[in-house]
Amino acid sequence: MSAQDQPQDMSSLAGRIINFGKFNVTSQVFHKTSHSFALVNLKPLLPGHILVCPLAVQPHLSDLTKDEVADLFLTVTHVQRTLKRVYRAEAFNVAVQDGEAAGQSVPHVHCHVIPRVTGDPGGGDKVHEWLEGEEGNVGRHQQEQQQQERQAGQWAKDEERKPRSKEEMEKEAQWLREEMGKDEKESVL
Amino acid sequence: MSAQDQPQDMSSLAGRIINFGKFNVTSQVFHKTSHSFALVNLKPLLPGHILVCPLAVQPHLSDLTKDEVADLFLTVTHVQRTLKRVYRAEAFNVAVQDGEAAGQSVPHVHCHVIPRVTGDPGGGDKVHEWLEGEEGNVGRHQQEQQQQERQAGQWAKDEERKPRSKEEMEKEAQWLREEMGKDEKESVL
């Protein structure tokens, strides 16, 4: 078992290995439901840019059951509540590139959830320009991260940014898990 | 009652007036469920570009009930089936600009559903560039159409395209209603 297969604090995920396409993203996951999970991004386009996916590795929305579709987008709104609070978001871009011809880079349904504030650098058409371009190529980023882990520090060069380290993502995932927990607690009280 | 308030063939919609924000879009609606409706666009970015909205006039996804969120996206996948067939779509962009800071132009949740085929003019970042720019400003387009109806033929000039006529949209809505009906019938058989 490689280090990548051993989640550090996955008590809330019951030790389950979670895949995003062919990638093991368990340590990036900060929320899980019966049918869906939410993960932090290797290269967020803006602070708090996360992905929500069905646990079922399926390429298209139309491949999902009704329960899976409903749960996916209820998870989006659920996660929005915490993102809104911790990133002081005024709005969100919520987008699925549903198939390769729509710019999908990993053949596993993923819904981008991007917190927005007035005057942020994503204004105009920037967020979606990034989403369609190399900046939003989550498949390539995951690939780079996997290579990085294999090559111990030999980073694949990226024109713009290097992918975040595993530790950095785990830290953010852990933080968001805790923040989600606070909101859960508040709902119950 | 103005001409705009009198839908021509709304038998399937039980005569109900359907609003998109402040606009009466009843004649543009081609599908309706208990919580949602789908309408054809005044200025589709690509052929078959439609919108799916909750019947409740609410600005944010987080303003909707769980049933409304689930129904909204189940309606998206339901409508996709027919769009895929009649527009030979290989993929879809599915996008919600959830709030003004994310580019929302009408303060009523609306999910863009844009059929895509390999090599279409929406490739690269075009679809999203349009979506964020004036081309995707559905609020402005509806406003123009309303003015057009008031001014009987005095079109507001648009740099790129003029909004489609009410008749043209009604024809497309009618066609999509029929095509949706064929798929329903097939599911039952």
Side-chain angles (χ1 to χ4, degrees), chain B residues 125-152:
Chain B
D125 54 17
K126 279 296 168 202
V127 155
H128 284 116
E129 198 178 299
W130 294 335
L131 208 54
E132 289 271 319
E134 270 309 308
E135 293 89 344
N137 190 331
V138 286
R140 186 179 145 199
H141 303 159
Q142 288 288 160
Q143 196 70 54
E144 284 175 7
Q145 202 242 1
Q146 210 169 58
Q147 281 166 359
Q148 173 219 337
E149 285 181 11
R150 286 201 195 103
Q151 298 167 9

Side-chain angles (χ1 to χ4, degrees), chain B residues 25-131:
Chain B
V25 293
T26 315
S27 66
Q28 288 167 245
V29 174
F30 66 91
H31 185 66
K32 189 182 150 296
T33 70
S34 52
H35 295 295
S36 314
F37 64 97
L39 71 155
V40 301
N41 243 319
L42 268 159
K43 293 185 176 182
L45 294 177
L46 285 171
H49 171 194
I50 62 94
L51 303 176
V52 180
C53 308
L55 286 162
V57 181
Q58 294 285 358
H60 297 283
L61 283 174
S62 59
D63 298 322
L64 304 179
T65 65
K66 287 186 178 189
D67 282 351
E68 285 168 342
V69 170
D71 190 76
L72 184 73
F73 290 99
L74 285 170
T75 302
V76 167
T77 58
H78 192 72
V79 166
Q80 276 184 324
R81 186 175 54 165
T82 299
L83 293 179
K84 185 177 175 177
R85 179 171 62 78
V86 300
Y87 288 102
R88 299 167 191 267
E90 297 161 18
F92 292 91
N93 288 104
V94 175
V96 180
Q97 295 159 307
D98 192 19
E100 208 176 333
Q104 187 187 50
S105 62
V106 172
H108 181 168
V109 173
H110 50 286
C111 184
H112 294 268
V113 180
I114 310 174
R116 301 291 304 272
V117 293
T118 307
D120 67 28
D125 54 17
K126 279 296 168 202
V127 155
H128 284 116
E129 198 178 299
W130 294 335
L131 208 54

Side-chain angles (χ1 to χ4, degrees), chain A residues 84-134:
Chain A
K84 186 177 175 177
R85 181 171 61 78
V86 301
Y87 288 103
R88 298 167 189 268
E90 296 162 18
F92 291 92
N93 287 103
V94 175
V96 180
Q97 294 160 307
D98 195 18
E100 208 176 336
Q104 188 187 50
S105 62
V106 173
H108 181 168
V109 173
H110 51 286
C111 184
H112 294 267
V113 180
I114 308 174
R116 300 291 304 271
V117 293
T118 307
D120 68 27
D125 54 16
K126 278 297 168 198
V127 155
H128 284 116
E129 197 177 299
W130 295 334
L131 208 55
E132 289 272 318
E134 271 309 309

